[in-house]
Amino acid sequence: MRTELLTISLLLSLSHVVTAETLPPLNLMPMPANVQLGTGQLAIDQSFSVAISGYRDAMVDKAVQRFIGQLSKQTGMLLVETLQKKPPTLSVKVERGRSSSERLGEDESYQLQVTTSSATLSAPNALGIFHGLQTFLQLVETGANGFYVPAVAINDEPRFAWRGLLIDVGRHYIPVDVLKRNIDGMAAVKLNVLHLHLSDDQGFRVESKRYPKLQEMGSDGLYYTQAEIRDLIAYAGDRGIRIMPEFDMPAHSLSWFVGYPELASTPGTYKIDPATPYTVMDPTKDGTYKFLAKFIGEMAKLFPDPYFHIGGDEVDGKFWNDNPKIQEFMHAHGIKSNQDLQAYFNQKLERILSKHHKIMVGWDEILRPDLPKTIVIQSWRGQESLAGAAQQGYSGILSFGYYLDLMWPASRHYGVDPMADKAAVLGPEERKRILGGEACMWGEWISPENIDSRIWPRTAAIAERLWSPQTIQDVGAMYGRLSDLSRRLEWLGLTHRSHEAPMLECMAGTDDIGALRTLANVVEPVKDYARMGAVTGNWNFRAPLNHLVDAVNPESETGRKFGDLVQQYIDSRYQDHEAEQSIRAILTSWRDNDTKLEPILGRSFLLSEVAPLSQELSMVGTTGLSALDYLDRSQASPQDWRMQRILELDAAKAPKAMLLLTVTEPVKQLVELSAGGQPQ
Amino acid sequence: MRTELLTISLLLSLSHVVTAETLPPLNLMPMPANVQLGTGQLAIDQSFSVAISGYRDAMVDKAVQRFIGQLSKQTGMLLVETLQKKPPTLSVKVERGRSSSERLGEDESYQLQVTTSSATLSAPNALGIFHGLQTFLQLVETGANGFYVPAVAINDEPRFAWRGLLIDVGRHYIPVDVLKRNIDGMAAVKLNVLHLHLSDDQGFRVESKRYPKLQEMGSDGLYYTQAEIRDLIAYAGDRGIRIMPEFDMPAHSLSWFVGYPELASTPGTYKIDPATPYTVMDPTKDGTYKFLAKFIGEMAKLFPDPYFHIGGDEVDGKFWNDNPKIQEFMHAHGIKSNQDLQAYFNQKLERILSKHHKIMVGWDEILRPDLPKTIVIQSWRGQESLAGAAQQGYSGILSFGYYLDLMWPASRHYGVDPMADKAAVLGPEERKRILGGEACMWGEWISPENIDSRIWPRTAAIAERLWSPQTIQDVGAMYGRLSDLSRRLEWLGLTHRSHEAPMLECMAGTDDIGALRTLANVVEPVKDYARMGAVTGNWNFRAPLNHLVDAVNPESETGRKFGDLVQQYIDSRYQDHEAEQSIRAILTSWRDNDTKLEPILGRSFLLSEVAPLSQELSMVGTTGLSALDYLDRSQASPQDWRMQRILELDAAKAPKAMLLLTVTEPVKQLVELSAGGQPQ
């Protein structure tokens, strides 16, 4: 047996060798803990069938039904009457029921064995079956003789128990069907916590029957009914995903004050409006705690998850400083600082939550030694803060480095490890307190149209970091698998790729968007908080998100691949003529693109702002072609020419219309190399 | 007032003149009965609001809510609190309630007046409001200064009262959500009848509580529950669309016999399987009518529409000939022919339907003088048959010429008029009996993935034929508006354009589908019944629909536009150098495509069959470029060369892998012209 097996680590290191000639590498994401590739393939055709044995679990039955539906969709084959045929193509074996659907750290392992004649998936409980079925779907390939799964033995379990995705539905409401398709995406990459940031200054998104003015006055009418929440929780639960609610307090809570101004530290009337002045909750009033006790009681029932997130971030103390009654209270109770006042507030909250058997979760700021060790810290500040909490006895999850709204490339998120650097000093017990991490989709610039493209496929790189062994690090291999996964995710109904055309057509007012797409494919939204930084006056959360920056992907695949191609050409010492031809074809299309695009940009108020980018792309094309001409002739380019071109290329790096041109750098390299001599 | 208005007929005749320079033509489809274009534009921005006055109709309130949602989606603007602001951007005025939601011929007219400051939509009842709101959405354009609607006065009403779409869910089950998005598409083009072909040999798709074995044994588990049907009817009703059920009898009814073999003319046991021998119902047994009386009673309640379709097509008499008891019955009752026996059956059915206040509808074959004049004939045989029925006093609807499964171009459907030719001899009363028509989406080759692309956008051309004045005939203008409508339809969730990429990626097993798309864009499925004709043995309705023929559009837009471009070049006597450049670029990409595509085709069992087409496309590119070279040099091409090329091009017209290459003809023309002399 051993001799015919090839371990995946060997396979990965050889990936450039084996790709074309022999077997393709397995397009699995997250990469399982242990994969042994066998010989041959299991054919997947219309005779495909599944049998379930062992512990009878309704969740498993449903999961297998969904799996068959997904396999049907993926292959175009109508699969009916697939259950319980003998002998089945796939045997699913479940050892036992789940101990509790919300227990963190439950066994999620599974074993998948595929031979040329059949496959077996076994797991201690339903969770492993869910994960194993997703792995099986990812293994299905289109081959020269039919659909198939390669013979393989997989032994898999997650590295971290908490693998989350936060979606901020407070700043922009996201409809239930959009959440559901994102839950399907989460299940596909083995994430297991959906963290809903349900309230923020711009909106309160859950129906409270006890305090209906929360959603009625604080949401623009855009909120989830309790029935919708229950349905969503069941939907996620069926897929092994917990839903943790977050109600951010005492800051980020303006939407609460529209209906209940008595909760605010600053007297006044409030409304959902970009111009409304901001304040925070008053933690000194009895009424605040009476309100929160009843509210949390209601929500604790609605959300069965044992974890309950109370936010706690970014409290601006000036509102407490400005309120004499609050100052008086602090003085009377010996509370010395605003941090201490927030700690007082958090202790009260923690007691309310305990009463409802909930574990309190909050952002870095809530960490104070006077809170019980049962609470969980979510760190947006970094691994140091997380390790520090672990040393003090607190559990924590990492979100620093996983903020999807910062528009980083997948590779950068992929490089962030909850255990990295600072965790090296931790002892084994302390290390166990680092539960995992969460990708965070903050909602300033998201809409139902573009949210999928902000979350996917980049979140899969984070999911792999949280699931797979720490040693899985090869960025090139990751991008190959990410690209394969990305197209599979669209089969789930996600629109991270298909959203672009309709958005571009809307901007252009025509379906003649070929040239616009050429530009869209080489630009990226500005990074970090640059877009928010450019806002003058109050941020208008109602401003339409229908500009080019809202449609293009956070990471330009064209840009990345063009850079790789130029590097390949340089590495070949200009001898790779096929690469050169491809580069020339691309540069020519860029050079000629502005002429085609210019009339379209002129006709649309949404697109006129990107005209300078289009001209710069044309310049990049022209410049790159000239540089290649010099290199072809082995003729040194004039220094003046180079200096002038480099000035232009550097100028083209400046953001325009909140967009960055991603293809200047490789062309600049070609220009520099055209000075002559061999490349370094 | 008059001087600033331009009638739409003038606008259309000038469309080539006004397009680029002055005003764009209105992209309305179906074209309203009367359009007068004004001067200036009404800005559509975030202050947009609607007020409703006149008769309070909950249907109108809901329609306005949907309209605002759609406008939000179309523009990317978050529109909230838009109702009842003063003064509103759009005033909606309803005169009265609807007399009955299912009365055929109800007033559907509306008036829409748009000025530079506001808009008014008025209608006698909710139906006109539905239609007018759709017109308004189609008028919204992206301009240099913002979104806008041009100033316009529209006075509109339909030419025919019955404007239907048949969807055959019997042969392949189509899920409810797919039907719903198609209902949205129907509403967008003002169709008003969804005809569901609910049973056929391959499946019985509605839950019967009285006879549950119908769906349980006759559907592969793929059927609509009664709750789903009620929900679907309400969904359609909200949009002014009736749902007419069809249960095809006495033929096309194999699925009934799986659970109830006693209904069959041929004794035996039946199952849903391509190999099961076929038969028809036994119209001589009392039991058949007892069954149908109860079944129709149940379905008459479930489907509130006054029309009830009993099929009646394609009865093969041999099953009656072969059954001695049936022969005996015919002899005993003096029934002379199988046609007479079917008439006997239909009379019995008609009496059952009458009892439930239903009007019987059936295909051509049911027309016999002994049936009451209240029945409606749906003609698949042609306008002559329809006119004949009208002369005999029967009402009718046309489906001949509107079969979407025949893969005709939109232009061909567009040329079919229910009133054409044969109807000229009819008197006014007889003409009134021609109620309208129905596009028919027969289900042999449809799946949830590709059905939208078979229905849309071509059905919009049929919808225009049925709604707009008979004089609207310009095919070029129709295609321009169809193309604009097509992108708008994707905003409704239809996938007639976005379905292609995932299907191609599945076939290719990669997302590197650029070259495959180039091929896919110039081929069309074979026409008429050529695909079914190529089936050997029994048609396997379970065969996966995952080949290239299943993914490509019925009509190649690239092919049509390439033909137009070549014609433009020829018409310019080879002087249009811009056109020539475009033609050369296209031909070059085709010439070079096979080299890129060949390795992908070789790796996939689904794509290897299209390799000859890819090679032929390459040949078309090479040949076209050579022909252009001769034309450029004003040098006559050698006759041998021409003959050889024409032979190759003609050979390339033969279908391969059920696909037709659409671009050989214009290149053949170039080859012929390269003989020298001036083009004709």
Side-chain angles (χ1 to χ4, degrees), chain A residues 13-28:
Chain A
S13 65
L14 292 175
S15 65
H16 283 281
V17 181
V18 296
T19 304
E21 301 307 311
T22 54
L23 273 169
L26 297 179
N27 282 319
L28 294 175

Side-chain angles (χ1 to χ4, degrees), chain B residues 284-305:
Chain B
T284 66
K285 282 190 190 162
D286 269 358
T288 301
Y289 298 103
K290 282 186 186 148
F291 183 103
L292 289 176
K294 283 179 188 156
F295 172 74
I296 289 173
E298 182 183 13
M299 293 301 136
K301 278 209 193 81
L302 182 60
F303 292 92
D305 199 74

Side-chain angles (χ1 to χ4, degrees), chain B residues 270-517:
Chain B
Y270 295 89
K271 57 179 192 161
I272 299 295
D273 188 285
T276 296
Y278 166 78
T279 190
V280 301
M281 282 186 189
D282 185 342
T284 66
K285 282 190 190 162
D286 269 358
T288 301
Y289 298 103
K290 282 186 186 148
F291 183 103
L292 289 176
K294 283 179 188 156
F295 172 74
I296 289 173
E298 182 183 13
M299 293 301 136
K301 278 209 193 81
L302 182 60
F303 292 92
D305 199 74
Y307 294 85
F308 196 104
H309 202 300
I310 55 92
D313 56 319
E314 300 187 312
V315 182
D316 188 341
K318 78 171 177 191
F319 303 105
W320 293 340
N321 298 341
D322 291 350
N323 182 326
K325 283 193 190 160
I326 292 176
Q327 290 305 310
E328 204 176 295
F329 178 92
M330 287 170 73
H331 187 74
H333 290 72
I335 296 171
K336 302 251 182 313
S337 69
N338 287 328
Q339 286 72 30
D340 287 346
L341 182 58
Q342 192 184 350
Y344 169 84
F345 177 73
N346 287 338
Q347 284 171 39
K348 295 268 220 176
L349 281 189
E350 204 280 328
R351 258 170 263 142
I352 297 171
L353 287 168
S354 285
K355 205 182 289 177
H356 297 287
H357 312 290
K358 296 292 180 186
I359 300 166
M360 182 160 109
V361 188
W363 299 99
D364 285 307
E365 291 96 320
I366 72 160
L367 182 61
R368 300 278 294 192
D370 27 23
L371 279 171
K373 302 289 187 241
T374 48
I375 70 163
V376 175
I377 303 300
Q378 180 164 19
S379 176
W380 61 277
R381 290 185 176 161
Q383 290 101 324
E384 189 161 5
S385 149
L386 194 63
Q391 281 175 323
Q392 292 174 57
Y394 293 98
S395 299
I397 49 182
L398 185 70
S399 281
F400 167 85
Y402 300 145
Y403 272 29
L404 300 167
D405 54 315
L406 302 189
M407 302 289 176
W408 293 3
S411 55
R412 190 164 168 192
H413 294 305
Y414 196 58
V416 177
D417 194 306
M419 286 293 186
D421 305 336
K422 307 298 169 188
V425 301
L426 300 180
E429 279 310 305
E430 289 166 343
R431 290 171 72 90
K432 272 190 203 156
R433 294 189 191 119
I434 296 181
L435 305 175
E438 276 191 6
C440 292
M441 181 72 266
W442 293 110
E444 280 86 349
W445 307 107
I446 61 172
S447 71
E449 276 71 41
N450 75 6
I451 183 172
D452 294 4
S453 71
R454 273 66 190 127
I455 297 178
W456 307 104
R458 294 180 302 153
T459 293
I462 300 172
E464 176 156 293
R465 180 57 52 238
L466 298 174
W467 176 283
S468 304
Q470 194 169 10
T471 49
I472 306 281
Q473 296 280 359
D474 182 330
V475 169
M478 180 276 284
Y479 271 119
R481 291 180 285 116
L482 191 69
S483 159
D484 188 75
L485 177 76
S486 184
R487 73 183 169 92
R488 291 170 187 267
L489 288 173
E490 283 250 335
W491 295 334
L492 301 173
L494 286 165
T495 63
H496 55 295
R497 307 199 316 167
S498 58
H499 78 290
E500 194 183 71
M503 287 186 78
L504 297 185
E505 286 169 356
C506 167
M507 288 169 216
T510 167
D511 65 352
D512 179 17
I513 54 163
L516 183 55
R517 247 186 156 149

Side-chain angles (χ1 to χ4, degrees), chain B residues 49-71:
Chain B
S49 62
V50 186
I52 306 171
S53 64
Y55 179 84
R56 290 304 296 188
D57 187 322
M59 303 273 273
V60 169
D61 290 356
K62 279 202 269 183
V64 167
Q65 289 291 0
R66 285 197 309 274
F67 163 81
I68 289 170
Q70 198 52 39
L71 187 59

Side-chain angles (χ1 to χ4, degrees), chain A residues 46 73-78 80-81 141-147 220 222 449 483-484 487 491 497-498 502 505-507 509-511 542-546 602-606, chain B residues 46 73-78 80-81 141-147 220 222 449 483 487 491 497-498 502 505-507 509-511 542-546 557 602-606:
Chain A
Q46 279 192 296
K73 197 163 180 189
Q74 219 170 290
T75 59
M77 298 190 298
L78 183 66
V80 290
E81 303 179 49
E141 298 283 350
T142 309
N145 302 308
F147 296 110
D220 281 333
L222 300 169
E449 274 73 41
S483 160
D484 188 74
R487 74 183 166 91
W491 296 334
R497 308 199 315 167
S498 57
E505 286 169 356
C506 168
M507 289 169 215
T510 166
D511 65 352
R542 291 211 185 103
L545 299 176
N546 56 5
R603 280 201 304 270
S604 164
F605 75 110
L606 293 167
Chain B
Q46 279 193 294
K73 198 163 180 188
Q74 220 171 290
T75 59
M77 298 191 298
L78 185 65
V80 290
E81 302 178 50
E141 298 282 350
T142 310
N145 302 309
F147 296 109
D220 281 334
L222 301 169
E449 276 71 41
S483 159
R487 73 183 169 92
W491 295 334
R497 307 199 316 167
S498 58
E505 286 169 356
C506 167
M507 288 169 216
T510 167
D511 65 352
R542 291 212 185 101
L545 299 175
N546 57 4
E557 196 173 0
R603 280 201 304 271
S604 164
F605 75 110
L606 293 167

